[in-house]
Amino acid sequence: MAETDTLEFLIRKLERHTTLPEADRRAILDLPVHARSVPPATYLVREGEPPANCVILSSGFAFRHKIVESGARQIVSLHLPGDALDFQSLFLRYADHNAQTLTRADLAVVPIAAMRELVSTRPLVARAVLMDLLIEASILREWVVNVGRRNARARLAHLLCEFACRMDMIGLNEPDGYALPMTQEQIGDALGLTSVHVNRSIKALSQEGLITRKGRLIGFPHIEQLREVGDFSELYLHLHETIA
């Protein structure tokens, strides 16, 4: 995907919630940007380092995580194509978390100074970025509830429902399901479970007929029942919230 295509993708994402005039769209398209392709497990943000760039996913998947003293990792968010990974660092001196690619990824990299200038001079763009950050915070709150208050089966069902919903939102749904870009270890790090427990939960949902599996391709033959198991409501994703 060309750099301009990625910025168009970003504009579409921002305009889900805030209508931008043509001048603001053009200002986004005029951002200085260069493309990078990186393998899985590439660090895009490192905790404790000052942010230099705003990275936008053109293709592939990424995640944010924290590592505790024991070396254990907690994945705190999952990111899809079109997501900007450094909006959180626009006005902070240092990153407070890590971000890595889950898969091979194509990136559009914008200098953080240029992005700061954009949001400082374009109020509607700033509001759109704020909306994006508020929705990220809403998703994070739901992830805290998921890890803290749901059982293993419900946690997994909820994560799968969210992934399907967000993939639908950006038009990356497939006829037979979704290629889940996470290993069982990574799913466990997102849900606070061991790989063994994740494997058992996947088998349980499969045996109940709530999901189908073919490699990493997950199908949802009974999505409403899966939503009930996961206590899933898309309210926290704010899919239809728009400010003119």
Side-chain angles (χ1 to χ4, degrees), residues 132-183:
D132 189 71
L133 288 170
L134 290 172
I135 292 168
E136 275 198 24
S138 177
I139 294 172
L140 178 59
R141 287 190 290 273
E142 190 68 24
W143 277 45
V144 171
V145 172
N146 203 37
V147 171
R149 291 300 176 186
R150 296 187 180 108
N151 62 35
R153 178 168 164 268
R155 289 183 209 179
L156 177 61
H158 193 281
L159 178 66
L160 293 176
C161 287
E162 179 185 303
F163 183 72
C165 191
R166 292 174 65 190
M167 289 286 279
D168 284 346
M169 185 169 58
I170 61 174
L172 291 183
N173 51 321
E174 301 176 25
D176 298 322
Y178 304 83
L180 189 66
M182 305 174 77
T183 65

Side-chain angles (χ1 to χ4, degrees), residues 29-206:
L29 292 175
D30 287 342
L31 285 167
V33 60
H34 71 271
R36 287 179 60 199
S37 293
V38 297
T42 298
Y43 272 87
L44 306 176
V45 177
R46 285 188 181 271
E47 185 173 2
E49 293 186 356
N53 298 297
C54 185
V55 178
I56 303 159
L57 282 173
S58 304
S59 67
F61 299 86
F63 65 103
R64 300 185 198 274
H65 67 90
K66 299 275 288 186
I67 297 175
V68 298
E69 187 177 358
S70 67
R73 177 179 66 181
Q74 181 67 45
I75 292 176
V76 297
S77 63
L78 176 63
H79 295 276
L80 282 60
D83 284 356
L85 296 179
D86 275 333
F87 280 168
Q88 296 189 15
S89 300
L90 276 175
F91 297 103
L92 298 175
R93 289 185 63 191
Y94 300 101
D96 56 29
H97 62 279
N98 303 293
Q100 279 182 279
T101 52
L102 271 170
T103 63
R104 181 196 170 280
D106 295 319
L107 313 173
V109 182
V110 178
I112 198 78
M115 190 63 73
R116 286 171 176 164
E117 176 69 14
L118 178 71
V119 299
S120 295
T121 57
R122 299 281 176 176
L124 288 179
V125 175
R127 186 168 69 174
V129 168
L130 177 60
M131 286 286 291
D132 189 71
L133 288 170
L134 290 172
I135 292 168
E136 275 198 24
S138 177
I139 294 172
L140 178 59
R141 287 190 290 273
E142 190 68 24
W143 277 45
V144 171
V145 172
N146 203 37
V147 171
R149 291 300 176 186
R150 296 187 180 108
N151 62 35
R153 178 168 164 268
R155 289 183 209 179
L156 177 61
H158 193 281
L159 178 66
L160 293 176
C161 287
E162 179 185 303
F163 183 72
C165 191
R166 292 174 65 190
M167 289 286 279
D168 284 346
M169 185 169 58
I170 61 174
L172 291 183
N173 51 321
E174 301 176 25
D176 298 322
Y178 304 83
L180 189 66
M182 305 174 77
T183 65
Q184 290 186 7
E185 178 184 2
Q186 290 164 342
I187 293 171
D189 286 350
L191 300 180
L193 302 171
T194 65
S195 298
V196 171
H197 211 158
V198 170
N199 184 264
R200 289 174 180 165
S201 299
I202 290 174
K203 285 183 177 178
L205 293 178
S206 181

